């Protein structure tokens, strides 16, 4: 019962975060005399807020936290003893929990997005093509985030405790991924640079594809950027693993 309540409270906390962000942007639009801010109407921004929240759940990976905790308490030693691929154990552990969390959030969040689109058909009409591309981009986003967190988590073998570093990393990623502020609200030069970094691929790219704000060439470039960053982090994870495992030092246990 305690675990179920903990799980439900976490999900409720996630939803409340999206609701607070929604009211924040409502206040921004109400305080402005313009109906369109940096390419977004208030209806489009409403969809952006809840879609970015939903996408963050799709692409979320807690590998850095899990690996950091296991290194700190020494339980990573048991994982290392098992005759299975080390990275794959984290991947399938995550996929199990993620399927439950996404299943619970899909109805209230994504269902709400679809209902909002149905009530405002002239704002952003639903497109099966954009939806399919959104799902594909979200899958790339998850694997980019997974391998990025794995690379980051491997540093726990060196620094022993990643709690503070993980808090800092989460804040930076949230800011640079567009989950708090769409990248189009940044100065053009900074927005362009952020668009080339891997973090924009986690949330901003899938959401903009779903909203139909990217043309065909922009979508192809966005997918190319996602594939490149995925390959880079996959390669880095192998290199860092080979380097860190040579100086393994496990605490506790």
């Amino acid at each position: 019962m305690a675990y179920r309540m903990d799980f439900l409270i976490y999900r409720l906390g996630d939803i409340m975060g999206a609701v607070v962000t929604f009211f924040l942007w409502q206040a921004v639009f109400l305080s402005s005399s313009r109906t369109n801010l940096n390419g977004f109407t208030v209806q489009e921004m409403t969809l952006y807020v809840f879609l970015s929240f939903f996408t963050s759940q799709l692409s979320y990976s807690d590998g850095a936290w899990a690996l950091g905790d296991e290194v700190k308490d020494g339980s990573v030693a048991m994982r290392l003893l098992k005759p299975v691929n080390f990275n794959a154990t984290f991947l399938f552990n995550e996929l199990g929990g993620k399927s439950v969390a996404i299943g619970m959030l899909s109805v209230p969040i994504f269902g709400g997005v679809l209902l909002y689109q149905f009530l405002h058909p002239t704002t952003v009409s639903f497109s099966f093509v954009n939806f399919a591309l959104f799902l594909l981009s979200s899958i790339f986003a998850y694997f980019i985030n997974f391998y990025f967190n794995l690379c980051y988590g491997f540093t726990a073998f060196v620094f022993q405790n990643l709690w503070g570093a993980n808090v800092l990393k989460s804040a930076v990623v949230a800011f640079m991924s567009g989950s708090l502020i769409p990248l189009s609200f940044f100065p053009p030069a900074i927005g362009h640079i952020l668009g080339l970094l891997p973090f924009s691929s986690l949330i901003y790219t899938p959401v903009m594809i779903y909203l139909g704000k990217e043309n065909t060439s922009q979508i192809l470039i966005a997918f190319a950027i996602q594939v490149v960053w995925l390959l880079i982090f996959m390669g880095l994870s192998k290199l860092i693993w080979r380097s860190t495992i040579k100086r393994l030092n496990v605490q506790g246990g």
Side-chain angles (χ1 to χ4, degrees):
M1 185 64 183
Y3 290 108
R4 279 181 288 179
M5 285 303 297
D6 180 65
F7 180 82
L8 291 174
I9 290 173
Y10 260 106
R11 301 286 78 79
L12 182 61
D14 290 338
I15 295 174
M16 288 303 296
V19 172
V20 169
T21 308
F22 162 72
F23 281 111
L24 177 65
W25 278 108
Q26 289 289 310
V28 170
F29 274 88
L30 287 174
S31 64
S32 173
S33 58
R34 297 161 54 190
T35 58
N36 190 306
L37 296 178
N38 294 67
F40 285 85
T41 64
V42 66
Q43 292 86 6
E44 289 173 334
M45 184 55 75
T46 299
L47 287 173
Y48 183 92
V49 168
F50 287 99
L51 273 172
S52 63
F53 165 74
F54 184 68
T55 308
S56 70
Q57 299 300 313
L58 293 176
S59 62
Y60 178 74
S61 174
D62 67 349
W65 290 94
L67 188 49
D69 288 343
E70 289 193 9
V71 171
K72 189 167 72 172
D73 64 21
S75 57
V76 71
M78 296 305 297
R79 189 185 290 270
L80 288 168
L81 290 175
K82 296 174 182 175
V84 292
N85 183 282
F86 184 81
N87 296 351
T89 60
F90 279 101
L91 175 63
F92 287 101
N93 279 352
E94 277 195 0
L95 291 179
K98 178 179 286 293
S99 60
V100 176
I102 292 175
M104 289 189 64
L105 292 172
S106 293
V107 174
I109 300 299
F110 193 68
V113 168
L114 293 177
L115 179 62
Y116 191 84
Q117 286 183 277
F118 176 76
L119 296 175
H120 301 81
T122 58
T123 305
V124 182
S125 57
F126 179 79
S127 165
F128 280 105
V129 174
N130 288 349
F131 177 65
L133 293 173
F134 163 78
L135 288 181
L136 179 60
S137 182
S138 297
I139 292 172
F140 279 127
Y142 170 70
F143 282 104
I144 291 171
N145 205 18
F146 172 77
Y147 282 105
F148 166 70
N149 273 277
L150 210 55
C151 293
Y152 198 83
F154 285 150
T155 60
F157 288 115
V158 179
F159 300 114
Q160 307 298 317
N161 189 344
L162 284 185
W163 188 89
N166 271 327
V167 173
L168 175 63
K169 184 262 298 176
S170 298
V172 171
V173 171
F175 180 74
M176 299 178 76
S177 65
S179 67
L180 301 175
I181 305 172
L183 299 191
S184 60
F185 279 72
F186 288 91
I190 296 177
H192 181 69
I193 293 172
L194 292 178
L196 295 175
L197 297 179
F199 310 114
S200 66
S201 296
L202 304 183
I203 295 175
Y204 185 72
T205 296
V207 173
M208 293 298 277
I209 290 174
Y210 183 92
L211 294 177
K213 289 187 172 295
E214 306 279 16
N215 58 38
T216 303
S217 60
Q218 289 173 321
I219 291 174
L220 291 175
I221 292 172
F223 276 121
I225 291 174
Q226 285 190 310
V227 171
V228 167
W229 279 115
L230 175 58
L231 293 176
I232 288 174
F233 283 128
M234 286 178 70
L236 273 178
S237 68
K238 292 182 179 178
L239 288 176
I240 297 174
W241 171 248
R242 289 173 185 169
S243 173
T244 55
I245 197 65
K246 294 176 182 176
R247 51 182 300 175
L248 177 62
N249 180 18
V250 177
Q251 304 178 87

